[in-house]
Amino acid sequence: MSSTHVFDMIVVGGGPAGYTAALYAARAGLDTLVLEKLSAGGQMALTEEIDNYPGYEDGIDGFTLAEKMQRQAERFGARTEYAQVERMDLTAEPKVLETSEGPFAARTVVLATGGGPRELGLAGEKALVGRGVAYCAACDGMRYKGRTVVVVGGGNSAAADALLLSRIAEKVILVHRRDQLRATKVYHAPLMQAENVEFRWNSTVTELLPEGKLTGVRLKDVHTGAESILPCDGLFISVGRKPATELVRGQLELDAGGYVAAGETTETSLPGVYAAGDVRTKPLRQVVTAVADGAMAVHMAEEYLAGGAPAARSPAGT
Ligand code: NAP
């Protein structure tokens, strides 16, 4: 692929939104490239079991689903370049993306970069990553076999992480700043029933206690202010995601949370640039909503490439 070649579409990010965009674009005959820094799947690839993606009645692990999505897009001619995007000029025509593997150009860009874990922002947090502090139970859980771990957070990720860790660790203590989980009900019963899962409600982690590696955390009761020390071998921080939008800051309109301001059409503040999946403003971040965005982005891109005319719709709508 030469650097002077101009693709119809470059998709940045090979998660479910990205590979669905690539599938739809390639099937529509668009010359399509996916830029992925590591391996397909994004956050989904780190999910042990996905039970809410229709069509897999027994569930499927995220890594396998990611590989399937990549192969499906590539079957129709989409290509993948493993490259880290370093800079983008989205106002140029064509749009130019500087990467670790050289520059690439395209007439349209689908930003499907998802997000990364949100940090707690505690002193020593970065330095203790890999020495007790972790952000991904599916990646690092096995390191804590037979040990005591703390999970912070009350959303779906924290609940899923606590459940996964309950099958590996000796004891799991879930610390949440409220008196109940925000996670969907499907997680509640299994967590409450797990014999090795304990809860510390109305509590936040205020300090990491290291001796070379993490040995415990200091907790604070959000109502009384009372502090306590909780010894542990591992701390899994599951307090949400932050969008990967650093590369487009200043070029695309972002919302207050730093997500790309884009509605259901996935159109951003720049023509020919679309935001799909977790990276855009949306009320529900799921694989199923990410893949819907990927399809929509291509639909809008086709209209744009056709010079503003509505994209041809197949009678069957497929
Ligand atoms: P989330 O839904 O935003 O939940 C974040 C949790 O962390 C909340 O309980 C929040 O507390 C807590 N939190 C945030 N900042 C904190 C801080 N500084 N200190 C302590 N606690 C803090 O994030 P998520 O669980 O990572 O999920 C992200 C998205 O992926 C969601 O849309 C989720 O539905 C989706 N997801 C879905 C599944 C599934 O469907 N099975 C699995 C994983 C993720 P508050 O409750 O007080 O705000």
Side-chain angles (χ1 to χ4, degrees), residues 47 52 118-120 152-158 160 176-178 180 182 184 187 203-204 238-241 278 283-286:
T47 306
N52 55 2
R118 189 184 293 152
E119 292 151 7
L120 280 179
V152 191
N156 282 331
S157 299
H176 185 32
R177 62 187 180 184
R178 294 177 192 263
Q180 58 180 355
R182 170 202 286 274
T184 47
Y187 288 114
S203 300
T204 54
S238 253
V239 296
R241 320 267 312 150
D278 284 6
L284 183 63
R285 294 191 167 84
Q286 299 276 297

Side-chain angles (χ1 to χ4, degrees), residues 143-176:
R143 299 169 69 159
Y144 298 91
K145 195 168 171 52
R147 317 294 289 271
T148 297
V149 296
V150 169
V151 176
V152 191
N156 282 331
S157 299
D161 285 358
L163 262 186
L164 190 159
L165 289 165
S166 73
R167 297 193 287 272
I168 300 170
E170 178 163 295
K171 188 156 66 152
V172 178
I173 302 150
L174 195 146
V175 174
H176 185 32

Side-chain angles (χ1 to χ4, degrees), residues 215-301:
T215 57
V217 294
R218 187 184 302 277
L219 298 186
K220 183 175 174 183
D221 185 300
V222 296
H223 296 309
T224 65
E227 294 191 334
S228 56
I229 285 177
L230 185 56
C232 63
D233 304 297
L235 173 71
F236 285 82
I237 299 172
S238 253
V239 296
R241 320 267 312 150
K242 57 178 186 206
T245 47
E246 303 77 23
L247 286 172
V248 297
R249 193 171 285 279
Q251 293 192 69
L252 294 183
E253 191 187 321
L254 304 182
D255 69 15
Y259 293 88
V260 178
E264 200 190 341
T265 65
T266 74
E267 292 169 294
T268 69
S269 52
L270 281 180
V273 181
Y274 308 88
D278 284 6
V279 77
R280 82 165 172 93
T281 308
K282 54 162 57 186
L284 183 63
R285 294 191 167 84
Q286 299 276 297
V287 178
V288 78
T289 60
V291 300
D293 280 3
M296 179 62 84
V298 174
H299 176 75
M300 302 313 295

Side-chain angles (χ1 to χ4, degrees), residues 35-184:
L35 294 175
E36 165 56 46
K37 65 177 172 197
L38 213 55
S39 64
Q43 173 69 14
M44 179 180 79
L46 305 177
T47 306
E48 193 192 27
E49 181 160 323
I50 298 175
D51 280 324
N52 55 2
Y53 189 68
Y56 294 94
E57 71 271 43
D58 299 320
I60 182 166
D61 73 274
F63 188 80
T64 303
L65 185 55
E67 283 187 330
K68 284 177 175 290
M69 288 183 179
Q70 178 175 10
R71 280 202 299 271
Q72 193 176 0
E74 290 178 352
R75 177 157 74 93
F76 292 98
R79 283 177 281 173
T80 300
E81 180 80 27
Y82 292 97
Q84 172 96 40
V85 178
E86 290 161 350
R87 258 182 316 280
M88 300 189 210
D89 184 352
L90 299 174
T91 51
E93 194 52 60
K95 302 161 200 328
V96 178
L97 290 84
E98 309 278 351
T99 80
S100 54
E101 308 304 311
F104 294 91
R107 296 164 71 202
T108 63
V109 169
V110 175
L111 197 69
T113 46
R118 189 184 293 152
E119 292 151 7
L120 280 179
L122 296 172
E125 185 173 334
K126 279 195 175 67
L128 285 166
V129 172
R131 291 190 294 139
V133 170
Y135 298 89
C136 171
C139 321
D140 299 324
M142 279 315 285
R143 299 169 69 159
Y144 298 91
K145 195 168 171 52
R147 317 294 289 271
T148 297
V149 296
V150 169
V151 176
V152 191
N156 282 331
S157 299
D161 285 358
L163 262 186
L164 190 159
L165 289 165
S166 73
R167 297 193 287 272
I168 300 170
E170 178 163 295
K171 188 156 66 152
V172 178
I173 302 150
L174 195 146
V175 174
H176 185 32
R177 62 187 180 184
R178 294 177 192 263
D179 61 2
Q180 58 180 355
L181 296 175
R182 170 202 286 274
T184 47

